Amino acid sequence: MSLALITLPTNKSISTVSDHVRKIGQGEKGQKLDVIVTDANGSGYDLTDRIITFSENKESGKIVSDNEAAHFNVTDQKAGRFTYTLADAVYAASGIAWFDISSKDGDVIDTTKSFNIDVIQDETIHVNNDNYVSSLTALETHYKAVIQKTEDDRDALFKKWQADIDQLIKNGNTNIQTVIDNANQLINSWKSELSNTQQALEKLQNDWKNQTAHINADYDAQKKAIQSAADNQLSANKTASDKAIAQINADKQAAIKQANTDFQAKLASIQSDYNAWKANATTDFQKQLDKLAAELKNDEDAQAKLQQAIDAANKAIANINNVDFTKYAKKEDLEKIHTLENPIPVSSDTNPDTLCDPGIYYSENGFNFGSKAPAEYWQGKSYLIVFHGDRPDRSYNYFQQFLFQSTKDTYNIWCRGGYQYYSDSYYTFEFQNLKDVYGKLKQISINGGDPINPDDNGLAKLNIPQPDLSGLETKADAKTAHDTLTADIAKRILSVNDVTADKDGKVVLPDFNHPTKIFKDSKVDPNTLTTTGIYELKNSDLQISLDSLPGFTQTNATYGYILVVNNAALDNTFQVIICRQMHDFILDYRYINKTYNDYPKFNRVINTQDLSNVQNQMTEIKQSMMRSWTGTLTQYQALTSYDPMTIYFIVSDYEVVVK
């Protein structure tokens, strides 16, 4: 029965072995494990002239070291492939296993990466979990391999760790040197402890060899002595000699057993001490690594932030490099910009006639006007602002000067205009006080009347007459009239028979003079006219058969009216056609039942003889219909009588009043 093939590298830089667990039952025996060993390059490991040893660190600190030839079957030496039959002790408990590769001289050349053997416990049986060593050579190989494997794993870890640290130091992380020194001390301690363990193992091996040799020497000496004595004795004593030799042999086996027991005890003690030291050293080393990892992480974070800052600075520098500083003013240029806070200072000897360039000038003790000083000017703090301008012909450089001076109680603003001709200045007008120009009223006129002059203080006294308003309407009168008119408007008729008033407030009811709709020069289908109303036909083409219209000689060029009365409740419609065909007067009617989709032919109601009677009746109907009258309130009040069948619309300046 075979377990799944497993590939074990000897390259210690590989962290783990894929598919690294093999499960076996505790009650099983004879399981075979097919193995392929690879070298550092991933190729098959050459096993020519090599001895393979199976090693396992089991639970509870027990070991298995097996190099018994019967348990190994090398199927391809060059490819590093062989089959291992598991020793009985492997089934006792789970453990971490590997294979040691040594020379025929016993020197360990290589070890494979570890893999896990998971033993499934069987409650029905009990297997002692003891150490198993197939030979002293196997034991020696096991511990040499343990030491080498530990050193290889350690060196691989340290190389990777040192490479990372060197890179970080190169990147500027010099603050981790203390941790590196502590780690180096830990490495030296580890090497020292491994050396001590190796020396203890060698001493144990020597003690084993010496004790075994001593027992064998004593056995051989006693055996020779007894044999020599037996040769000299009679055959009768042969039985006694055999018993003596058997006793010596038994003593030898007992001594060897005791030596083996003592050896196992020392071996267990060394193993226990080594395991305890390795656990403590690994824990301490892991703490150092965790601390270092934390510090490295902090350094990496700091580097990341520093890099972000550098990137931001580079970006800012790049942006600055793209700036055209020639477009910006220099400090000395800004100093040339003069404001009221930063005027051009001049001395009190400065003649304003020489200040023709634009700017704001300030003199602490006034300007030297000489005889040209404006009225009310005194030699004190003064501001002079010069503005440039041009004449339309641009022949000279014209400018304006504004002189400002203020005291505790008053202020003055003077202005004069001039122009510069070469180096000389000429003035079109002398300084004028703007308070005199803009500060006082000159004249005032009411509704285009005669102008009124103000007094010396600029005050114009106006005498406005008080008109007699006693005969005029007051606000109260206007409100009363408005409220009355609003109430009257609220009473007006808004619609009659669903016919609303037009924009002029008139309600126009359908009659023959105001039909509901006029069909002129168009086609008309009487079947579609089902809404109550008066429809006028002007040169219309009736879309109905001629035989449906009694008295009609043609359906086109029809002039007349169609009267429609609709009964919405019953969905029935009554239609009457009034028209003239040639010289004959026609009056037809019909009754439409829309519920049953019944559109019958028209029936003849009246002929020409009855026309006058119908006209008289229509006149009476027309006279009985509501009429409308529109006019002003004065016109309405002037009527001598009022018709109850007439709606009177009174038009005012505000609203339409209905009476």
Side-chain angles (χ1 to χ4, degrees):
M1 191 172 185
S2 298
L3 299 172
L5 172 68
I6 188 170
T7 300
L8 299 174
T10 57
N11 186 357
K12 305 305 185 298
S13 63
I14 300 176
S15 58
T16 59
V17 177
S18 60
D19 189 25
H20 59 90
V21 178
R22 293 294 179 270
K23 293 182 179 291
I24 58 175
Q26 198 172 41
E28 298 174 348
K29 291 293 185 289
Q31 289 275 20
K32 296 180 183 298
L33 178 63
D34 197 7
V35 181
I36 296 177
V37 180
T38 60
D39 58 17
N41 298 322
S43 303
Y45 197 100
D46 189 358
L47 298 176
T48 304
D49 296 330
R50 298 290 181 257
I51 297 175
I52 307 172
T53 301
F54 172 80
S55 295
E56 183 183 16
N57 287 332
K58 302 173 66 62
E59 294 176 349
S60 302
K62 304 300 182 181
I63 68 169
V64 173
S65 182
D66 183 16
N67 65 351
E68 187 173 343
H71 289 166
F72 292 89
N73 179 26
V74 179
T75 57
D76 190 340
Q77 289 183 340
K78 296 296 183 180
R81 184 161 185 165
F82 62 89
T83 301
Y84 170 66
T85 302
L86 273 60
D88 292 345
V90 177
Y91 299 92
S94 301
I96 299 175
W98 67 93
F99 288 97
D100 309 317
I101 302 173
S102 59
S103 66
K104 290 184 177 181
D105 297 334
D107 295 330
V108 176
I109 299 175
D110 234 328
T111 61
T112 68
K113 292 294 292 183
S114 302
F115 63 97
N116 296 84
I117 295 180
D118 192 358
V119 176
I120 303 173
Q121 301 293 325
D122 189 342
E123 301 298 333
T124 62
I125 62 175
H126 175 71
V127 180
N128 290 329
N129 184 21
D130 296 326
N131 292 317
Y132 172 76
V133 180
S134 63
S135 66
L136 182 60
T137 301
L139 177 65
E140 184 178 4
T141 300
H142 173 78
Y143 269 95
K144 285 182 179 180
V146 168
I147 293 172
Q148 179 176 326
K149 183 175 178 61
T150 303
E151 290 177 343
D152 291 344
D153 292 343
R154 177 207 63 196
D155 291 342
L157 175 63
F158 288 161
K159 286 180 180 179
K160 182 179 183 303
W161 176 58
Q162 188 65 46
D164 294 340
I165 291 176
D166 291 342
Q167 184 62 39
L168 291 172
I169 292 176
K170 184 183 296 183
N171 294 339
N173 293 278
T174 57
N175 61 329
I176 62 173
Q177 189 58 47
T178 302
V179 180
I180 296 175
D181 295 340
N182 294 337
N184 288 330
Q185 293 178 2
L186 180 62
I187 293 171
N188 295 331
S189 174
W190 198 337
K191 290 181 178 179
S192 177
E193 187 63 28
L194 287 175
S195 177
N196 295 337
T197 303
Q198 189 170 9
Q199 292 176 4
L201 175 62
E202 291 174 354
K203 183 176 183 303
L204 179 62
Q205 291 172 343
N206 292 332
D207 291 344
W208 173 279
K209 292 178 181 179
N210 293 335
Q211 189 171 5
T212 303
H214 180 70
I215 292 172
N216 289 330
D218 289 346
Y219 169 73
D220 292 338
Q222 294 183 36
K223 181 178 179 182
K224 288 179 180 180
I226 294 173
Q227 187 65 45
S228 177
D231 291 341
N232 298 326
Q233 290 179 356
L234 298 174
S235 59
N237 295 330
K238 187 175 185 304
T239 302
S241 66
D242 291 339
K243 290 181 179 179
I245 291 173
Q247 181 63 43
I248 291 173
N249 189 42
D251 292 341
K252 171 188 172 183
Q253 296 299 327
I256 292 174
K257 182 177 181 180
Q258 182 62 42
N260 187 45
T261 300
D262 294 341
F263 173 77
Q264 292 286 355
K266 290 182 179 180
L267 178 63
S269 176
I270 292 174
Q271 179 71 37
S272 177
D273 292 342
Y274 174 75
N275 290 339
W277 174 85
K278 183 173 72 172
N280 293 332
T282 302
T283 301
D284 293 340
F285 183 63
Q286 187 61 46
K287 290 180 179 178
Q288 292 285 347
L289 288 180
D290 292 343
K291 180 180 178 182
L292 178 60
E295 293 187 3
L296 292 180
K297 180 64 169 60
N298 293 335
D299 290 342
E300 290 174 356
D301 294 342
Q303 281 188 359
K305 293 179 179 178
L306 178 59
Q307 188 61 45
Q308 291 177 357
I310 293 174
D311 292 341
N314 289 334
K315 184 177 180 181
I317 292 173
N319 292 334
I320 292 175
N321 290 333
N322 294 329
V323 175
D324 184 5
F325 285 98
T326 61
K327 297 180 179 179
Y328 296 89
K330 299 180 181 179
K331 182 178 180 181
E332 52 269 25
D333 294 331
L334 296 176
E335 292 176 352
K336 296 178 181 178
I337 299 176
H338 298 288
T339 64
L340 289 175
E341 293 183 355
N342 184 33
I344 303 172
V346 295
S347 68
S348 59
D349 297 333
T350 302
N351 186 343
D353 292 351
T354 63
L355 301 178
C356 302
D357 294 329
I360 301 176
Y361 301 91
Y362 172 73
S363 176
E364 180 75 17
N365 297 313
F367 296 98
N368 183 16
F369 285 99
S371 61
K372 297 180 181 180
E376 301 183 23
Y377 181 79
W378 61 285
Q379 294 299 119
K381 295 179 180 179
S382 305
Y383 288 88
L384 182 69
I385 301 178
V386 179
F387 297 99
H388 266 191
D390 289 319
R391 283 186 53 168
D393 58 4
R394 300 181 182 273
S395 59
Y396 300 109
N397 185 21
Y398 278 76
F399 58 87
Q400 297 280 343
Q401 287 184 341
F402 290 86
L403 177 64
F404 298 86
Q405 195 174 56
S406 63
T407 64
K408 176 181 178 182
D409 300 319
T410 185
Y411 71 93
N412 287 292
I413 303 176
W414 297 273
C415 174
R416 70 175 176 176
Y419 62 93
Q420 188 176 16
Y421 184 71
Y422 293 103
S423 60
D424 297 327
S425 298
Y426 301 91
Y427 294 94
T428 57
F429 60 90
E430 294 300 325
F431 277 112
Q432 298 181 18
N433 198 324
L434 297 183
K435 291 171 60 176
D436 297 335
V437 177
Y438 302 105
K440 295 181 180 179
L441 180 66
K442 292 184 176 181
Q443 284 184 332
I444 187 172
S445 174
I446 300 176
N447 295 332
D450 295 334
I452 301 174
N453 296 319
D455 58 18
D456 293 339
N457 296 322
L459 177 64
K461 298 179 180 180
L462 303 178
N463 295 320
I464 300 175
Q466 299 295 327
D468 182 10
L469 303 178
S470 59
L472 301 179
E473 186 179 35
T474 64
K475 290 184 178 180
D477 297 334
K479 184 177 185 305
T480 301
H482 177 270
D483 293 343
T484 302
L485 184 58
T486 300
D488 292 339
I489 292 174
K491 299 176 182 179
R492 76 182 187 276
I493 298 175
L494 300 179
S495 65
V496 177
N497 295 336
D498 296 330
V499 178
T500 58
D502 59 16
K503 62 183 180 64
D504 297 325
K506 297 180 180 180
V507 178
V508 180
L509 298 177
D511 57 19
F512 289 101
N513 293 326
H514 305 89
T516 304
K517 186 174 183 180
I518 299 174
F519 295 98
K520 182 179 181 181
D521 302 328
S522 61
K523 296 179 180 180
V524 180
D525 184 2
N527 292 340
T528 62
L529 300 179
T530 57
T531 302
T532 299
I534 300 175
Y535 302 90
E536 184 176 0
L537 306 176
K538 289 186 177 182
N539 194 29
S540 300
D541 186 1
L542 297 178
Q543 302 297 300
I544 191 171
S545 62
L546 188 60
D547 61 351
S548 298
L549 299 170
F552 276 71
T553 58
Q554 62 186 38
T555 58
N556 61 332
T558 303
Y559 291 84
Y561 295 90
I562 299 178
L563 307 181
V564 179
V565 179
N566 182 54
N567 188 336
L570 299 177
D571 200 19
N572 296 328
T573 302
F574 181 73
Q575 291 181 334
V576 176
I577 296 181
I578 304 173
C579 67
R580 178 181 295 276
Q581 286 282 314
M582 300 303 287
H583 299 287
D584 191 12
F585 173 78
I586 299 173
L587 181 61
D588 292 347
Y589 77 95
R590 70 173 176 175
Y591 185 75
I592 299 173
N593 190 329
K594 291 186 289 184
T595 302
Y596 297 99
N597 197 25
D598 182 15
Y599 294 87
K601 298 180 179 180
F602 280 86
N603 299 306
R604 187 73 176 268
V605 176
I606 193 171
N607 53 25
T608 306
Q609 186 177 358
D610 299 326
L611 177 59
S612 59
N613 295 332
V614 173
Q615 289 177 340
N616 293 334
Q617 292 177 0
M618 290 182 65
T619 301
E620 294 178 359
I621 294 173
K622 182 177 180 180
Q623 292 177 351
S624 64
M625 294 178 63
M626 293 292 294
R627 292 181 295 276
S628 63
W629 177 93
T630 303
T632 63
L633 180 60
T634 302
Q635 292 172 339
Y636 174 76
Q637 293 173 345
L639 295 176
T640 58
S641 62
Y642 300 99
D643 185 3
M645 296 303 294
T646 300
I647 299 174
Y648 295 90
F649 294 95
I650 301 174
V651 180
S652 69
D653 293 337
Y654 298 95
E655 299 288 347
V656 177
V657 181
V658 180
K659 289 291 187 178

